[in-house]
Amino acid sequence: MRKKGLTLRVVSLVVAADVIEFVIMVSFKKVSLGLPPFTAELLNVADIFNTGLLALESPYFWSGIGGMIASFIIWPAVLAALDLSVAFPLGSLSFVFIPILSIIFLGEEITPLRWVGILIITSGIAWLSVTEKQREVEQS
């Protein structure tokens, strides 16, 4: 059995997946903002169909779909290189990258309480990686 471990390649794949997740969220948000508001009057089949056609015509919709396909390709590569117990928490880095990307590209403001939450999540990820490293040393 091949030994699984955290490498720069794997971390790069996880970061890429996080960036793609950001692209997906922004894309679908752009699509939803371009659609007519959803009201009780729009509950007939024809209006729902027309709204769906409007979404399909949006390039943001297709960039979101492309991002989802890329994410479906990246995650199996990550899981082939890492145990799920390590890969899943590492995927939580999106809690760090998405706010940073939101500040840079969308001009959003992140509250201090959210930064505290990001710090707690980052500390947990660091703690998991240290315990994983200790487990690898003990098994050697």
Side-chain angles (χ1 to χ4, degrees), residues 24-121:
I24 293 168
M25 290 189 324
V26 170
S27 296
F28 288 138
K29 184 177 181 179
K30 290 277 192 182
V31 169
S32 67
L33 291 175
L35 297 176
F38 190 74
T39 61
E41 294 85 36
L42 287 177
L43 287 178
N44 63 51
V45 176
D47 287 335
I48 292 172
F49 182 75
N50 288 335
T51 302
L53 286 178
L54 280 174
L56 289 173
E57 292 173 356
S58 171
Y60 295 113
F61 175 82
W62 293 107
S63 65
I65 295 295
M68 292 176 78
I69 291 169
S71 184
F72 287 139
I73 292 169
I74 289 173
W75 271 106
V78 170
L79 294 176
L82 285 179
D83 291 331
L84 182 61
S85 62
V86 177
F88 192 72
L90 192 60
S92 298
L93 287 174
S94 64
F95 292 111
V96 177
F97 288 116
I98 289 177
I100 291 171
L101 293 172
S102 296
I103 291 169
I104 294 169
F105 294 107
L106 303 176
E108 291 186 6
E109 187 175 315
I110 308 299
T111 63
L113 184 59
R114 180 129 186 231
W115 284 117
V116 169
I118 290 168
L119 180 66
I120 291 170
I121 291 169

